[in-house]
Amino acid sequence: VVYGGLLKSQDTARVTEQKPPQEKKVEIKTKLKGVMFGDWFYVMSADTGIPVPGSPLEYASSYKNYQAFSIRRMNFAGEVSFDDRFTAFTLFESEDKVLLGDGRRAAGYLKFAYLRWNNIINGVHLIIGQQPTPAFPPFTEKHWSYRPLEKTPFDLAGLAGSNDLGAGILATPVKDILNIHFLVANGEGAKLEKTAAKRFYLSINGMPAGIILYDLYADYEFKAKDSIHTSIKVFGGVKLPFLTIGIEAGEQIRKGKNSETIPAVLSAFAHFDILKKTLRGVLRYNYYDRDLSSGSSGYIEHLFIAALDWKVIENLSLIPNLWMAVYSRDKKSDASRYPNRKPIIVPRITFFWNY
C-alpha cells in the first residue's frame, strides 16, 4: 500500500509539473518603398530666358522651344516594424532642385528618419525625428493625389515644408472625423539648425460621413529678433469613388521690426473618372500673391493644369498634361520693372510609378 501510494504521488507530480513559460517571439516586419516621377516637356511659349522675379514655378526661367527629359523626384524608403508599438522609417530622396556642386547633377539627401511609438496613450502616437510636417503631406497632398503634376499650394509658394526635425503628436479623438497633428521642430526642414528658434505646427482634419474633407492648419515661428512668421490655411472638399474636389486658401504673415508682408495662395482642383480604373481627368487652378497687403508685390501668378492620367497598371501612370502660368502685374507695381509677360505654356508627358 505504501509503495503504491508513492508511485501515485510521483505520477501526480509529473502531471502537475509545468514547463517554464516561453518568451513570445517578436516578428520584425520590413517594407521597401519607392517613388519616381519625371517628364518629357517642351516650352511652347515663354519670354526667352528672362527669369520671373521671385517666382517659385518650375519653368519660370525657361526659354521658348526648350525641351528635355527630366527626373524631378526619386526616393527609396525602408520601414521596420519592431512590434505593434514601434515603427522606424527612413527615406532618402533625390530631386532636380537639390544639386551637387557642379550644378548639373541631382543630389541625394535624408528626407525622413523617425521613430513612431503607437498608442503611447490609447489613440495617441508619438513621432520623434525627421518627419512629415502637418502642413500638407498627411492630408491635403494625399487628397490632391497628383504630386507628380505639381506641389500643393503652400509647398509651391515655399510657405511650409514637407519635413522637419522635432517631436510630434498624432491623436484621433474621433476616428475618421477628428484627427489632431501637432509638431514642434527646428523649422529648417532637412537642413541643419542654425538658431534656437522653433516652429510650432498644428493641423486638425478629418473626413466626416466618409466623403467630406476638411483641414484647419496653423503654424508659428519666431525666426529671429523682431521676426515672426504666422501661417493659417483652410482646406475643404468632397471625395467620392469617382470624383474628388478640393479648395484651399491660406496666407503667411511675416512681421519684421519695421515691415510686414503677407504672401497668400488660393487653389482649386478636381480629378474624376473617365474610364473606371484606367483613365482619369485632372484639373487645377492656383493663385499666388507675394504680398497681399501692399498691392505692389510685382507679378501675381495664375497656374493652370489639365491632365489625363492613364493608369497602365495600378502603380504606373503615364500622364499627358498641359502646364500653363499666366502673370498679371499687381496694381501698384512699377510697369518698367514688371513689364507685361507672355504666358509660359508647357506640354508634358509625365511618368510616375511607386511600389
Side-chain angles (χ1 to χ4, degrees):
V1 172
V2 172
Y3 179 69
L6 289 172
L7 289 176
K8 186 176 181 179
S9 64
Q10 289 175 359
D11 290 340
T12 304
R14 289 192 190 99
V15 172
T16 57
E17 182 181 0
Q18 295 182 353
K19 294 182 179 179
Q22 294 183 349
E23 292 185 6
K24 184 179 179 181
K25 187 176 180 180
V26 177
E27 183 182 358
I28 297 178
K29 299 177 182 179
T30 60
K31 292 181 183 178
L32 179 64
K33 302 179 180 181
V35 169
M36 180 172 172
F37 59 79
D39 324 272
W40 173 82
F41 65 88
Y42 170 67
V43 181
M44 180 184 293
S45 170
D47 284 303
T48 304
I50 303 173
V52 182
S55 176
L57 296 182
E58 182 82 18
Y59 308 103
S61 300
S62 297
Y63 54 87
K64 185 178 178 181
N65 296 328
Y66 176 53
Q67 57 86 24
F69 291 95
S70 172
I71 295 176
R72 287 187 285 120
R73 172 170 294 181
M74 179 174 65
N75 63 45
F76 297 98
E79 182 179 276
V80 179
S81 296
F82 301 106
D83 56 23
D84 292 338
R85 296 176 302 161
F86 296 101
T87 300
F89 185 83
T90 304
L91 184 147
F92 288 91
E93 183 161 286
S94 175
E95 57 180 276
D96 63 349
K97 298 301 181 186
V98 181
L99 303 176
L100 293 172
D102 61 6
R104 298 192 62 189
R105 289 179 294 170
Y109 68 100
L110 181 64
K111 186 172 185 177
F112 295 127
Y114 62 82
L115 177 71
R116 174 170 168 148
W117 184 349
N118 295 312
N119 292 308
I120 188 169
I121 303 172
N122 189 32
V124 179
H125 318 295
L126 173 66
I127 303 177
I128 299 175
Q130 187 80 18
Q131 59 190 280
T133 69
F136 51 84
F139 197 82
T140 53
E141 188 171 76
K142 175 184 175 181
H143 294 292
W144 156 231
S145 301
Y146 282 97
R147 176 60 188 87
L149 292 179
E150 193 50 88
K151 298 176 179 179
T152 58
F154 247 52
D155 188 14
L156 182 60
L159 303 182
S162 63
N163 60 91
D164 212 341
L165 180 57
I169 291 288
L170 290 173
T172 308
V174 184
K175 186 178 180 181
D176 297 329
I177 296 176
L178 178 60
N179 307 303
I180 301 171
H181 187 180
F182 174 76
L183 171 65
V184 55
N186 288 338
E188 295 290 341
K191 300 176 182 178
L192 296 176
E193 177 62 291
K194 292 184 178 181
T195 70
K198 293 292 175 283
R199 189 167 184 169
F200 300 86
Y201 306 80
L202 176 65
S203 170
I204 300 172
N205 59 62
M207 194 174 174
I211 61 172
I212 299 171
L213 305 170
Y214 78 90
D215 181 31
L216 308 175
Y217 169 81
D219 69 51
Y220 174 87
E221 183 177 15
F222 181 82
K223 294 186 71 69
K225 187 178 180 180
D226 300 320
S227 179
I228 297 173
H229 289 186
T230 306
S231 305
I232 53 173
K233 176 171 68 76
V234 294
F235 170 82
V238 175
K239 189 178 184 71
L240 301 170
F242 58 91
L243 170 69
T244 300
I245 297 173
I247 300 174
E248 181 172 330
E251 64 181 29
Q252 185 173 86
I253 303 169
R254 300 174 175 176
K255 289 187 176 182
K257 186 175 182 179
N258 299 307
S259 66
E260 178 178 293
T261 58
I262 306 177
V265 296
L266 174 66
S267 184
F269 70 82
H271 44 87
F272 46 89
D273 284 347
I274 298 174
L275 296 173
K276 189 175 180 181
K277 296 184 179 180
T278 303
L279 190 64
R280 198 162 174 85
V282 185
L283 297 171
R284 167 143 170 215
Y285 167 72
N286 204 84
Y287 169 97
Y288 173 46
D289 187 338
R290 292 171 189 77
D291 186 6
L292 196 64
S293 62
S294 69
S296 58
S297 57
Y299 294 113
I300 295 173
E301 292 179 349
H302 307 268
L303 175 64
F304 302 86
I305 297 173
L308 290 174
D309 175 12
W310 173 35
K311 294 187 179 298
V312 183
I313 57 175
E314 184 179 358
N315 295 337
L316 169 62
S317 286
L318 291 178
I319 314 175
N321 62 95
L322 183 68
W323 185 103
M324 181 172 70
V326 177
Y327 296 89
S328 60
R329 187 171 55 247
D330 210 347
K331 55 188 176 182
K332 295 181 182 179
S333 295
D334 185 355
S336 62
R337 184 179 177 189
Y338 298 98
N340 293 332
R341 296 189 66 97
K342 295 178 182 178
I344 302 174
I345 303 174
V346 186
R348 305 185 296 186
I349 299 176
T350 299
F351 49 87
F352 163 68
W353 62 82
N354 63 2
Y355 58 88

